[in-house]
Amino acid sequence: MRSDATDMAGPGNLLLKIWRRYGRTIAVTEAHLGCTVDEQVRWLMEMWEAALGARARGADITAVTSWALLGSFDWNSLLTREDNYYEPGAFNVFDGHPQPTLIADMIRELAAGRDFDHPFLSDPGWWRRESRLERRCA
């Protein structure tokens, strides 16, 4: 089971709680989900919208940053092994030539103050689906 059935506070509410508690400028850094690109887009958009929402409610949110713009090797094992496992970031540099990913397109649009609309965003992320509550028995 990935989660229990309790109501999720959501990142926007958590950002507000942090702001109210500490009263310090907040930067949401390394917003990333190690998953498929569709889920990564959903996650980054949820973090972006949460930051904007908290900001509209008074929190001093100064930035939302994406994780590892150039990707990372072996981060899935916290660098405890050299498996040559590469996970792209906003750019895929696996072959030595930076290629923008969908996340790069998303960052470019959001940073320019434009909406980012993509079919992936019409569905909720797995963390918002009822299936997250399913139990699987061996």
Side-chain angles (χ1 to χ4, degrees):
M1 178 164 79
R2 287 183 163 162
S3 176
D4 64 19
T6 59
D7 187 36
M8 294 183 358
N13 289 331
L14 294 174
L15 288 170
L16 273 174
K17 283 183 179 183
I18 293 167
W19 165 250
R20 289 178 182 144
R21 181 171 185 173
Y22 298 105
R24 305 290 303 230
T25 301
I26 299 169
V28 179
T29 61
E30 298 186 359
H32 177 71
L33 181 68
C35 203
T36 57
V37 69
D38 58 321
E39 299 291 14
Q40 290 174 344
V41 166
R42 292 179 189 114
W43 182 262
L44 184 55
M45 183 58 80
E46 185 164 333
M47 297 307 109
W48 178 259
E49 290 174 347
L52 290 179
R55 195 173 178 179
R57 293 168 62 191
D60 183 12
I61 311 280
T62 190
V64 175
T65 69
S66 180
W67 167 85
L69 287 178
L70 302 176
S72 292
F73 281 91
D74 294 326
W75 193 244
N76 63 324
S77 68
L78 300 177
L79 304 174
T80 59
R81 297 187 311 267
E82 285 189 47
D83 296 330
N84 204 34
Y85 176 86
Y86 177 73
E87 184 175 357
F91 295 88
N92 185 333
V93 298
F94 185 77
D95 67 0
H97 300 89
Q99 297 295 316
T101 66
L102 184 58
I103 295 294
D105 296 341
M106 182 179 188
I107 292 168
R108 182 177 43 254
E109 294 303 304
L110 295 175
R114 296 186 291 264
D115 290 334
F116 180 76
D117 188 30
H118 192 278
F120 289 158
L121 296 172
S122 64
D123 293 322
W126 67 257
W127 59 95
R128 296 283 180 200
R129 294 184 204 130
E130 289 299 316
S131 61
R132 78 184 191 285
L133 304 175
E134 293 176 2
R135 291 184 184 264
R136 288 184 171 64
C137 299

